[in-house]
Structure formats: C-alpha cells, structure tokens
Amino acid sequence: MRQFSYERATDPAAAAARAAEVQGAKFIAGGTNLLDLMKLEIETPVHLIDVNGLGLDEITETEEGGLRIGTLVSNTALSADARIRRDYPLLTRAIASGASGQLRNKATTGGNLLQRTRCPYFYDTAMPCNKRAPGSGCGALSEGAFSRQLGVIGTSEACIATHPSDMAVAMRALDAVVETVTPTGMTRQIPLEEFHILPGETPQMENALMPGELITHVTLPAPVGGTQAYHKVRDRASYAFALVSVALVRQADGTGRVALGGVAPKPWRRAEADAALPNGARAVIAALLDGARPTEENAFKITLAERTLAAMLKEA
C-alpha cells in the first residue's frame, strides 16, 4: 500500500470542498471496498478524508411519507430498521443477501452505491482493463477470456463489467433518489436511474458525481406496497456476487416493477418491462433485455433471468 495523508471531516460541505481541492483525494467511511483496492494498488489515493464524524447515520421520515437514509447508515442497521422491514421489505432482503454479516456491519449506504465492479480483469493488474487503466483494452473481451459473470446488456466494446451491489438493485426498483453536497456547498438530488452511468467509451466514469461531490442521503419515496421479493442466483449459497438477481414489486392487479442485477453496469430497469409484467416473465425479460449482447459464456443469463422471475411470480 502506498503512503497517503489522512484527515477527519466535521462538515459535509467542507469535506466536499477539501476533496475537490486535493487532487487524488478519496472519502472513506466503512472502507470495505476502498481498502481492498488500495492494497492491490488499483486505487491509489494520496489523501483520505474520513467522513465517519459527519453525523449522517440516521434514518428519518420525510413529509411525503418516505424515508431519508443517511449515507453513513450501515447496511446492517438499514436492513434491520423496523420501518424498512415493514414498508420496504425488498430492501431488507436485498441487503441481507449481500456480502457477510461482518462486512454489512461496516459497509455504509453511500459506499454501497459507489462500490466498484468485481470483474476479475479489473482486479488483475497484470491484465488490460479500460476501467482501471483507460485505453489499455478490455481483458474480458480478449480471445479466450472468462466472461461468465459479466454483463449482457448496457455494455460496450470498451467494458462488459457489472455493478456488484444488491442494495442498489432494490433501491432502483423502489425509485430511490441520491442526495449530495457539492464542493461549492450546493445540494443536488439525483434519481438512482441517472446516478450510475453506462460505460460507453469511458468506463472509468461510473457515476454522475462531480469531483469532490459527497453523497449525504438516499431518499425512498412513500411505500409502494404490494408483494415485494428479491432473489439472487449465485455460484455459492453465501458470500458471492450475483449471476442474476431480480427485485420484484407486484401489485394485486398484476402491475408492478422489476429490476435486475448481475447483468449490466448498473441496476437494470426499463419502463416498458414494468408495463409488461401482467403478461408474464417472458414478456418482461424480453423487454428488459432487448438489445442484449451476451458472450458465448454468459448467454445463459437471459434464460436464467426469465426462469428466476417466473418462479418469483408464481410464488407471489
């Protein structure tokens, strides 16, 4: 691990201004992803700004009937909150399916949204990766590459990595909004639909944050009700990232929402797929994954997504 300087922030706007001022600065909270990347020298920040003292660790109710979640609320606290379990059970189930109990105790809400891909070519510094080293190429698209776990939709010729978060898939189905503070002290609200961006020709750009911008809260709108479920298909029963995950909200009249994980560089949802829900799993997945460009190794994900959703609809 390379040398770096360190400071503790006491004010969100000041922390954002400091991060913008020092080139190569990074925020750190739970550190469950960042520290691993630093040890591998994939992330090499010259300065760490500890945001744990900002007091952004509470869940409060909004005037609209939703919940406002502080960026420092741990995954464990969020999934266990009585209001989340009652009104947003989809989110509890998604969080509980991710990582391990020890990691969920440290991982934060904001950090979970910002975690980086687990593509093996991103983690292997001996291999080319446009996300890690822009312009070096995509190892996952090279001849003989291993791509079973990687993306089938929303990818590009520069990158086929997937976003690893379970929590973000549930929040996408729930229409969450990310709140931030900019280095100038202004606040922004970014719908989660717009927060994560597709790779295109610049896969190193993963979200809509400007340099130094700090996530302060994630807001959930008023509960949507209905039957909510999250199912994650993976190679191991625990402590594994999704091959395919499905977040489902289904109302009594058959309408609802569907979001997928494990298939794209961001939590994947389309309005036309939601509209197709009364027509069954095949119609939904056809709309969700229209335009998919799978590799020979991961084409099975399309069928797997359909079968997973079908099973969930039958159970619902």
Side-chain angles (χ1 to χ4, degrees):
M1 185 181 290
R2 301 184 186 185
Q3 287 189 336
F4 57 88
S5 54
Y6 170 88
E7 69 176 285
R8 291 189 176 100
T10 58
D11 175 78
R18 180 67 170 151
E21 174 188 339
V22 180
Q23 187 173 4
K26 288 278 185 180
F27 298 119
I28 186 167
T32 57
N33 188 204
L34 178 59
L35 291 178
D36 284 343
L37 295 173
M38 289 174 66
K39 290 173 184 177
L40 294 169
E41 296 194 350
I42 294 171
E43 293 275 11
T44 55
V46 300
H47 186 65
L48 290 183
I49 302 171
D50 188 334
V51 297
N52 283 296
L54 296 182
L56 301 171
D57 57 356
E58 296 183 356
I59 304 173
T60 57
E61 297 176 8
T62 66
E63 293 181 358
E64 296 76 22
L67 291 177
R68 192 169 184 241
I69 305 159
T71 190
L72 297 174
V73 173
S74 73
N75 285 181
T76 295
L78 181 58
S79 64
D81 187 271
R83 295 162 294 184
I84 295 291
R85 293 171 66 89
R86 181 189 66 228
D87 296 328
Y88 309 92
L90 168 60
L91 184 54
T92 289
R93 291 167 184 160
I95 293 173
S97 73
S100 66
Q102 294 94 329
L103 286 170
R104 292 194 295 271
N105 288 343
K106 293 295 293 181
T108 61
T109 299
N112 192 301
L113 294 177
L114 293 172
Q115 64 180 303
R116 305 199 70 186
T117 184
R118 265 49 175 204
C119 172
Y121 297 95
F122 174 73
Y123 269 76
D124 186 350
T125 56
M127 298 297 295
C129 173
N130 289 316
K131 187 178 288 292
R132 172 174 34 79
S136 63
C138 177
L141 290 173
S142 61
E143 185 176 354
F146 178 79
S147 58
R148 181 173 180 271
Q149 293 181 304
L150 302 178
V152 300
I153 190 81
T155 57
S156 72
E157 294 298 325
C159 181
I160 62 169
T162 58
H163 193 272
S165 174
D166 292 288
M167 185 196 78
V169 179
M171 285 190 164
R172 178 67 188 92
L174 295 169
D175 285 334
V177 175
V178 179
E179 298 182 24
T180 71
V181 61
T182 71
T184 61
M186 301 294 290
T187 59
R188 283 210 298 164
Q189 294 190 334
I190 309 171
L192 192 60
E193 176 185 8
E194 301 171 9
F195 181 78
H196 296 107
I197 58 179
L198 297 180
E201 297 181 356
T202 55
Q204 73 275 15
M205 298 175 61
E206 299 175 349
N207 56 65
L209 296 177
M210 65 179 66
E213 192 168 8
L214 173 67
I215 297 175
T216 58
H217 298 85
V218 178
T219 301
L220 297 175
V224 295
T227 300
Q228 299 183 22
Y230 186 81
H231 191 75
K232 179 178 182 178
V233 183
R234 46 190 162 178
D235 286 327
R236 298 190 304 271
S238 66
Y239 201 54
F241 294 96
L243 291 171
V244 166
S245 63
V246 181
L248 171 67
V249 179
R250 192 187 191 204
Q251 306 296 342
D253 62 1
T255 61
R257 306 170 180 181
V258 178
L260 297 182
V263 299
K266 61 187 290 184
W268 197 252
R269 182 179 165 200
R270 283 175 168 169
E272 54 268 37
D274 289 350
L277 192 57
N279 300 322
R282 179 169 295 182
V284 172
I285 298 303
L288 261 177
L289 298 182
D290 181 39
R293 300 168 61 234
T295 68
E296 184 176 347
E297 280 194 348
N298 65 20
F300 73 92
K301 287 191 175 191
I302 297 173
T303 302
L304 183 59
E306 180 183 328
R307 291 177 177 175
T308 302
L309 178 58
M312 294 172 71
L313 290 174
K314 183 176 181 180
E315 183 177 344

